[in-house]
Structure formats: structure tokens, C-alpha cells
Amino acid sequence: MKDSVMMAELSWPEFAGKVKEGAIAFLPIGATEQHGPHMGLGVDVVLPTAICERVARAVGGIVAPAIPYGYKSQPRSGGGEGFPGTISLDANTLSLVVRDVVRGLGTHGIRRVVVCCGHFENVWAAIEGIDLALRELKRDGIADMTVLRLEYWDFVRRETLDRLFPEGFPGTELEHASLLETSLMLLVRPDMVDMSKVPSDGPARVPLYDRYPAPAGFIPPSGVLARAERASAEQGQWLIDDHVELVAKGVREGFGL
Ligand code: ZN
Ligand code: MN
């Protein structure tokens, strides 16, 4: 077996060895969600997993299997639940899955966990799951578990965003299936991208409020909220360099290493 940071590729004695060495466990939380006509449904799983894998190598960690379903896609950040193939969990379900996985890692000796969301809508359900897991572990006598929670896209330099968006950054929410995600996917999983199918019906013109149900025409029919035409693997490299370096720095800082 090759030396891997991916937990699913380790045997149980290898896993136990890493735990003994004090390995940090990374838990990516993704989604199965439309990402326009030009990318596969698993973008929000692939990207945080790819970043966690690189950071885990840098800081001495392992990557637990990603949670492949997320909290319900919202029109203003993911296009909504109406697109074929977008399959989501209730917040309660997701929080309990996060709880169970974090608790399981703790039960098996892990004491530092990084929960990395690849899907905007997962944040509060993840927080709930972490809180429940810490509460249960404490009741089980494990009081020294520490969890960091983060979104990889926050770990980017201002100068990198200025280079990517000379006309001004539209904001992370509208970036769904757009320049950033498409560029990263062109770098890490080009086989999941078809640039000939990039739509040009964006950007979405959304108000500052949510409306349920979402009115027709709220978002572009393609499901791509901003523009992706200029995406490239080169820009994906600028992004991933920032994400890996700055997340690793944040993880070291967060755990006092
Ligand atoms: Zn996404
Ligand atoms: Mn998403």
C-alpha cells in the first residue's frame, strides 16, 4: 500500500499508527448539487477534498471520507433545489451525520479535527454537528477534542482576487459554478469540466432577501450564478496555492502548532 493521507486508503493498523502520532483529521463536507451544464454534480465534494488532501500532507494529517450530501441548495448561493440531480439533506440530518463522524473520530483517539465546508449552505448545520459531538464526547469523558471549522474559499489573498477580478470581485455567494470553482476544477479534475458548455446567461440579479418559494427568473436558467467563460487551470493554480498555504497556516495557528 502506498503512503496515503486519505483515511479510506489506510488499513486499520495504519490509521491507528497515524492517530498515535497525533494526526489532525480533516473532514470535508460537500454537496451533490448542480454546477451548471459544464461541470459535474460533485464539485463541492471534489474541491474541499483536494484542498484538505494537500493541507493534510503539509501539516501531518489524514482526510476522512467526505460527506457527499449537503444542506439544501439556496437560490442565491447554489441555484436552489429545483435542478435535476441536486439532492440535499435536512439540516437536522446533516448535523447528526457531522456529529456522528466527529464523535467517531474522537472515540478512536483523534483529538484535532478540521471541518472544511465545500458548500456554502453547510455552515450552520456543521456548527450544530460539531457542538453536539463535543457535548457527547465530553459526557463520554473525552474533554480534550479541538475542532476547527472553515470554508476554504475564505483563505485567499486580496491580491489574488484583484488579479482574478480586475473589475471587482462579485462575492463568494454568486461565485457558484463560476470563475473560481470552474478554474479550480480545471486544475484538479479537468475531466469533470466541459468548457464548450459554459453558459452566458449570468450573472444572477438577486435581491438582498430570500423568497420562498423562489420566483421564476430569480436565477439564470443554466444555474450558473456569475460568469465562468474566463476560467482557466492557471487561475485555479493561483487559487489553490493560496488556499493550501493559508489553510495550513490557519490550521497550525488554530491548534497552536
Ligand atoms: Zn459549488
Ligand atoms: Mn454548493
Side-chain angles (χ1 to χ4, degrees), residues 33-41 83 176-177 197 199 222-224:
E33 180 187 44
Q34 71 84 18
H35 275 75
H38 67 294
M39 290 196 288
L41 296 163
F83 286 87
H176 177 76
K197 295 206 171 81
S222 70
V224 178

Side-chain angles (χ1 to χ4, degrees), residues 33 35 44 118-121 176:
E33 180 187 44
H35 275 75
D44 289 356
H119 174 65
F120 197 81
E121 292 85 337
H176 177 76

